[in-house]
Amino acid sequence: METEILSVIDRIYAAGSERARWNDLLETIPDLAGGEAANMLVARPQSGTMTVLSPRTDEGFVNACFADWWPH
């Protein structure tokens, strides 16, 4: 288990801004932790845009969160 955790930590540092690497990590992390999903909010303050990386979460749920919850 310790080796797997250290591998994930190394991969987090290596991922940088490469979305494909993060999608893979966001599938690996909940498997390692016994969870269902892991998500990451990417905010770009200069452009005022946001994106959610959430490879295992239903897209309709993510869209509803942005439409209904985020403005509050």
Side-chain angles (χ1 to χ4, degrees):
M1 178 80 142
E2 183 178 335
T3 303
E4 293 170 326
I5 293 170
L6 293 174
S7 173
V8 167
I9 292 169
D10 287 341
R11 290 170 55 201
I12 288 169
Y13 281 103
S17 62
E18 294 181 42
R19 184 179 184 136
R21 287 185 174 193
W22 279 107
N23 282 339
D24 181 55
L25 274 165
L26 293 173
E27 291 182 354
T28 302
I29 291 170
D31 290 344
L32 187 61
E36 290 184 27
N39 310 291
M40 181 178 4
L41 175 67
V42 179
R44 296 174 186 91
Q46 291 179 342
S47 66
T49 61
M50 288 176 277
T51 282
V52 174
L53 301 180
S54 187
R56 290 187 181 169
T57 304
D58 176 60
E59 187 176 335
F61 176 78
V62 173
N63 291 337
C65 284
F66 272 109
D68 300 331
W69 175 79
W70 191 256
H72 300 286

